[in-house]
Amino acid sequence: MNKNIDKNNLNDVISISKRILKLFYVLLIVIGAYILLKIIKELGIFGIVASVLKILTPLFIGIIIAWLLNPFVKWLESKKVRRGIGTTLAYIILISAIFLVVKSIIPLLYNQTIDLVENFPNIFSSLKEWLSGLFNNINANTVNIESIQKNLIVKLDELSVNLSTSLPSFIINSVTTIISSIGTFLVGLVIGFFLLLSCDNLGNVLLDIMPKRLRKSTSELSEKINQSLRNYVNGALLDACVVFVISTVAFALIGLKAPILFGLFCGLMNVIPYAGPYIGGAPAVIVAFSQGIGIGIAVLIAVIIIQMVEGNVLQTLIISKTTKLNPVTIIIGLLIFGHFFGIAGMLLSTPIIGVCKVIIKYFDDKYDLLNFN
């Protein structure tokens, strides 16, 4: 009996030790990643990498387009359609979809943006009136309410003046950036077309460079990474589109100014896990309160409900199943990448962590390094 008890206790100790060891490994990886990024930043490598990436932007756009369209072209190939015809057909569908989106949404988005910009003075005036009424209804003996109110009004006035003075240059810079981005995207489309034509052969060329003993492992690992990234991208795009549509409809029904603009911002920011929904909903709520307390409360409730549905339903059904990452891991990744790269880092943190997990798990399955299973 004592021997059995000792054996059970020993098994429990071993099990707990393994869990602690796994946590220790994860902690080491997080600390190592942070130190590595810190060293890279101190050496100024980020600036060099950013410059190189900017030059190679059309190439990356082409690779992403070819990567996204390749499954459709391969499906057409399975139906006995030649790859050249399949690639052309895929591009016709892609360009038609882009044209329809630009023709239907962009004019509305432009008009709503102009209307919002023209109403900036009224929005700030309404916001100041609302804040004054709010502070007048607050009774506090220990806090200097008048001083806080005065400071907030001054800050709002400064923000209004800054927006008014910087708006012309901002519009010119925005138009220049958009024109430059369109040119870059068109070059990326051309590169993507030729990459898609030879996408099957491209993988074989890369494998031929590898030593023969590593080709099988490289092929297996690249397939797993490819599937992980594709699942995440498909899930994130679907999630963002659903949030964009629901938010736009809700904002339009409530009567918020520029509902498509704010709905689009909510959808785009929703790609960032956990923090994104709050970043996306904040501007809509601020503008809504400037239109009136009723509209502000309605928009705030709509944003909360949409994010609750997204967080508890869509995230669970779409993102969580595609990435299979622990929420704590995602949050740590957001903090680290957000610290070094800002919003762009937060956007890329989850797929990068997902790829790292696939690589670690692959080698763990193959060599039993950490015994994660």
Side-chain angles (χ1 to χ4, degrees):
M1 188 69 181
N2 289 334
K3 288 183 179 180
N4 290 333
I5 293 172
D6 291 338
K7 189 186 249 186
N8 290 334
N9 289 338
L10 184 60
N11 288 334
D12 289 339
V13 170
I14 292 171
S15 177
I16 293 170
S17 300
K18 284 184 177 180
R19 291 176 186 175
I20 293 172
L21 190 60
K22 288 176 188 178
L23 289 173
F24 179 70
Y25 280 133
V26 172
L27 185 63
L28 277 180
I29 291 169
V30 170
I31 293 172
Y34 179 82
I35 292 172
L36 180 63
L37 290 171
K38 193 75 175 174
I39 292 170
I40 291 172
K41 185 178 181 181
E42 291 298 325
L43 292 175
I45 297 174
F46 286 153
I48 300 170
V49 172
S51 301
V52 174
L53 290 177
K54 190 175 181 180
I55 296 169
L56 297 177
T57 298
L59 175 62
F60 290 121
I61 291 172
I63 291 171
I64 290 169
I65 291 171
W67 178 69
L68 289 172
L69 295 179
N70 188 48
F72 176 68
V73 175
K74 288 182 76 173
W75 177 79
L76 290 176
E77 280 187 305
S78 69
K79 303 296 180 182
K80 309 300 181 185
V81 177
R82 291 174 59 187
R83 189 166 188 89
I85 297 173
T87 299
T88 305
L89 184 60
Y91 256 69
I92 290 171
I93 294 171
L94 174 65
I95 293 170
S96 300
I98 292 171
F99 175 76
L100 288 173
V101 169
V102 169
K103 188 177 180 181
S104 58
I105 293 181
I106 297 301
L108 288 172
L109 201 59
Y110 172 78
N111 292 331
Q112 290 187 2
T113 304
I114 294 299
D115 181 55
L116 185 65
V117 169
E118 289 175 349
N119 278 283
F120 266 146
N122 296 330
I123 289 171
F124 279 104
S125 178
S126 300
L127 194 58
K128 284 195 291 185
E129 289 178 10
W130 180 76
L131 284 172
S132 298
L134 179 66
F135 280 109
N136 289 334
N137 293 325
I138 296 175
N139 294 318
N141 297 323
T142 56
V143 182
N144 191 348
I145 295 296
E146 289 185 8
S147 175
I148 296 173
Q149 179 182 350
K150 203 173 287 184
N151 288 332
L152 279 174
I153 298 299
V154 169
K155 292 293 182 185
L156 280 174
D157 287 334
E158 288 177 358
L159 182 60
S160 178
V161 171
N162 289 336
L163 281 174
S164 300
T165 54
S166 62
L167 202 56
S169 61
F170 173 76
I171 291 172
I172 293 170
N173 291 334
S174 298
V175 171
T176 306
T177 303
I178 290 169
I179 293 171
S180 174
S181 299
I182 291 172
T184 303
F185 183 74
L186 290 176
V187 175
L189 273 177
V190 175
I191 293 172
F193 181 82
F194 289 107
L195 284 175
L196 194 57
L197 277 174
S198 58
C199 203
D200 276 354
N201 296 328
L202 188 63
N204 294 331
V205 170
L206 293 174
L207 283 176
D208 288 341
I209 299 172
M210 304 291 296
K212 286 185 178 180
R213 61 189 178 85
L214 298 177
R215 287 176 188 173
K216 184 179 178 182
S217 299
T218 304
S219 177
E220 290 174 354
L221 181 58
S222 62
E223 184 60 36
K224 288 180 182 294
I225 292 173
N226 176 59
Q227 192 60 48
S228 174
L229 283 174
R230 192 174 296 282
N231 289 341
Y232 175 77
V233 170
N234 292 339
L237 287 176
L238 178 60
D239 189 33
C241 288
V242 171
V243 171
F244 163 58
V245 172
I246 295 174
S247 299
T248 301
V249 172
F251 295 159
L253 291 174
I254 292 168
L256 177 69
K257 293 182 185 296
I260 294 178
L261 179 65
F262 288 114
L264 180 62
F265 189 67
C266 285
L268 291 174
M269 289 298 101
N270 207 74
V271 177
I272 303 173
Y274 301 106
Y278 301 102
I279 298 172
V285 173
I286 292 170
V287 172
F289 271 107
S290 70
Q291 290 182 233
I293 295 175
I295 293 177
I297 293 172
V299 169
L300 178 61
I301 292 171
V303 168
I304 290 171
I305 292 173
I306 290 168
Q307 298 311 328
M308 283 177 64
V309 171
E310 191 276 335
N312 295 304
V313 179
L314 295 178
Q315 281 276 357
T316 304
L317 292 176
I318 300 173
I319 303 297
S320 296
K321 286 188 176 180
T322 55
T323 58
K324 296 180 181 177
L325 291 173
N326 189 289
V328 176
T329 307
I330 295 175
I331 291 170
I332 292 172
L334 289 173
L335 292 173
I336 293 175
F337 282 84
H339 172 72
F340 286 106
F341 308 108
I343 297 292
M346 296 175 78
L347 284 168
L348 295 173
S349 66
T350 303
I352 289 173
I353 292 169
V355 169
C356 291
K357 180 187 175 182
V358 169
I359 294 171
I360 292 170
K361 192 172 185 305
Y362 175 79
F363 285 105
D364 178 57
D365 290 340
K366 191 166 186 176
Y367 300 108
D368 197 23
L369 299 174
L370 305 175
N371 194 23
F372 277 137
N373 293 325

